[in-house]
Amino acid sequence: MERSPRIGVLALQGAFREHAQALRRLGAEVVEVRLPEELEGLDGLVIPGGESTTIMRLAQIYGLDEAIREYREPIFGTCAGMILVDREHLGLADLVVDRNAYGRQVRSFEADVELAGEDHPLHGVFIRAPRIRDTGADVEVLGELDGEPVLVREGRLLLASFHPELTGDLRVHELFLVMVGEAQHVRA
């Protein structure tokens, strides 16, 4: 019998508990990550939404910024997590993201995200959401809002402008676990 994937959730600030709950519902073993050594042995990492400046600052203080740069397993970043991995921060994703581009907290909203290859949209929660300004050639758009990319994949990276962990729809987390499974299969 195959073991459950061990997924780390960066637990410095933000919606890490909600991601952990969604992943557990899908059968993953979840590890809260606060220190670089806690990345060892993980099959994937989630970088949650929250306050990107705070998360980045805490990651630098604890040495997680470099540890995440060196981490080679799949990464799922939502909202602030997307910002952290863009070209201008950790430099893992070939995209540029504008913080709070949809407006301040009071301008937060919910909307249906059109998913590529899906008949049913995904309900998205956009809280001080970032907007993707520029993408590299290898970035695949998986979801759009009003014709703009809000869910993208680049190799081992899955990135969302919105918070899929705040809805009951687990399709984005399921996709991430499929990516983790694919990476495990390649290593085997």
Side-chain angles (χ1 to χ4, degrees), residues 48-172:
E51 204 333 281
S52 60
T53 304
T54 300
I55 295 172
M56 192 67 197
R57 181 72 180 123
L58 290 171
Q60 290 168 341
I61 289 170
Y62 294 111
L64 277 160
D65 55 340
E66 286 306 315
I68 292 169
R69 275 190 187 101
E70 294 170 10
Y71 185 73
R72 294 294 168 242
E73 303 304 328
I75 295 175
F76 175 24
T78 61
C79 199
M82 175 192 282
I83 296 167
L84 260 63
V85 301
D86 82 350
R87 288 182 204 143
E88 296 176 351
H89 294 86
L90 294 177
L92 299 176
D94 190 11
L95 52 86
V96 177
V97 178
D98 292 329
R99 294 177 61 221
N100 303 329
Y102 287 97
R104 297 179 164 276
Q105 186 82 20
V106 296
R107 300 277 317 233
S108 298
F109 62 96
E110 297 183 22
D112 285 341
V113 174
E114 296 298 323
L115 298 176
E118 295 267 341
D119 292 333
H120 302 289
L122 177 80
H123 192 70
V125 178
F126 293 79
I127 302 171
R128 293 178 23 202
R131 180 174 264 141
I132 298 171
R133 178 172 13 122
D134 184 49
T135 62
D138 293 331
V139 176
E140 177 186 6
V141 176
L142 302 177
E144 294 183 339
L145 176 66
D146 299 329
E148 290 188 35
V150 293
L151 178 65
V152 298
R153 178 178 181 177
E154 182 186 7
R156 66 186 178 93
L157 304 174
L158 179 64
L159 305 168
S161 294
F162 56 96
H163 292 269
E165 75 280 7
L166 298 180
T167 72
D169 191 330
L170 298 175
R171 286 182 283 174
V172 180

Side-chain angles (χ1 to χ4, degrees), residues 35-56:
L35 298 170
E37 56 268 22
E38 292 169 336
L39 290 171
E40 293 175 27
L42 296 178
D43 300 312
L45 176 67
V46 174
I47 304 175
E51 204 333 281
S52 60
T53 304
T54 300
I55 295 172
M56 192 67 197

